[in-house]
Amino acid sequence: MICVQEALKDILHYTAGSLTLSHLPLHLCGISIFMVTWHAFKPNKLNSEFIYALTLPGAIIALACPDWTQYPLLHFSSVNSFTMHTWLIMYVVIQLYAGTLIPNFKNLKYTFVFTLLLMIPIYFINKVWDTNFFFINTPSPGSPSVVLYDLFGNGFVLSYIIICLILWILMYLPWRHYENKGNIVHPELS
């Protein structure tokens, strides 16, 4: 359903003549759409930790600090953005509740390396195409990252890493006993 909604969004923008490079799914939540889909069919260490460590908090932050507020509340872009981020959160929460996703801090290194490797080309894509995927070239207007930008200038991206590390410690603490006891629902993820 998430992929269908993403495709429908692009088809509608194309039909309306408003499809731009910024509609490519290269934001964190756009990449999360594919990671969630991949996880639904073949969960592994990378996609499991990615959807827990990045998709879940990223979608929550996107809903708390939306960057699509230039549209009216009932505009297609607003409805699509609110529902898409809600689907992403719901998928992860359902997997956690069902026990089919058990976060493992030891596997977070895969997500960290994968994300850093993504951010390098995305930084240059942003420069060439004048886009702002991952909000790594400039912060999203009105978001808390504006404060970080005001404090650290272009170094605000490094503050993202520090914030992520603190957030991850808090997110993974409740799951520590599973790592120590080896209680993994999917043996292929261990």
Side-chain angles (χ1 to χ4, degrees):
M1 186 165 140
I2 293 173
C3 285
V4 169
Q5 185 171 332
E6 179 67 14
L8 178 63
K9 174 201 74 155
D10 290 339
I11 290 167
L12 290 174
H13 277 293
Y14 178 78
T15 304
S18 59
L19 186 65
T20 65
L21 291 171
S22 64
H23 289 106
L24 289 172
L26 294 177
H27 275 295
L28 174 60
C29 290
I31 292 168
S32 291
I33 292 167
F34 299 105
M35 295 300 268
V36 160
T37 304
W38 181 19
H39 183 270
F41 292 100
K42 188 158 178 49
N44 61 41
K45 292 176 185 179
L46 173 60
N47 59 31
S48 294
E49 296 314 316
F50 188 96
I51 67 172
Y52 180 71
L54 290 175
T55 299
L56 182 61
I60 291 169
I61 291 168
L63 288 175
C65 306
D67 73 331
W68 55 85
T69 55
Q70 70 270 23
Y71 302 107
L73 185 60
L74 295 179
H75 186 276
F76 169 77
S77 292
S78 291
V79 173
N80 178 68
S81 296
F82 278 113
T83 57
M84 183 63 70
H85 290 90
T86 302
W87 298 137
L88 291 170
I89 294 167
M90 286 175 56
Y91 179 84
V92 178
V93 169
I94 289 168
Q95 297 305 309
L96 291 168
Y97 181 76
T100 55
L101 171 63
I102 296 183
N104 186 336
F105 190 77
K106 294 173 187 170
N107 295 333
L108 188 57
K109 61 185 173 244
Y110 302 111
T111 295
F112 188 75
V113 170
F114 176 74
T115 306
L116 284 179
L117 291 174
L118 273 177
M119 290 177 80
I120 293 167
I122 285 176
Y123 174 83
F124 291 105
I125 287 170
N126 285 339
K127 290 291 189 188
V128 172
W129 289 347
D130 195 29
T131 52
N132 195 23
F133 299 119
F134 268 67
F135 302 109
I136 58 176
N137 293 69
T138 58
S140 174
S143 72
S145 57
V146 172
V147 174
L148 298 173
Y149 185 79
D150 290 343
L151 287 172
F152 303 111
N154 289 334
F156 80 102
V157 174
L158 295 176
S159 65
Y160 282 172
I161 295 171
I162 295 167
I163 291 169
C164 280
L165 292 173
I166 294 167
L167 181 63
W168 288 338
I169 289 169
L170 296 173
M171 289 175 66
Y172 280 87
L173 276 176
W175 303 100
R176 194 168 50 108
H177 69 281
Y178 284 99
E179 292 173 23
N180 295 335
K181 295 180 182 176
N183 296 336
I184 303 295
V185 173
H186 292 292
E188 69 271 10
L189 300 180
S190 59

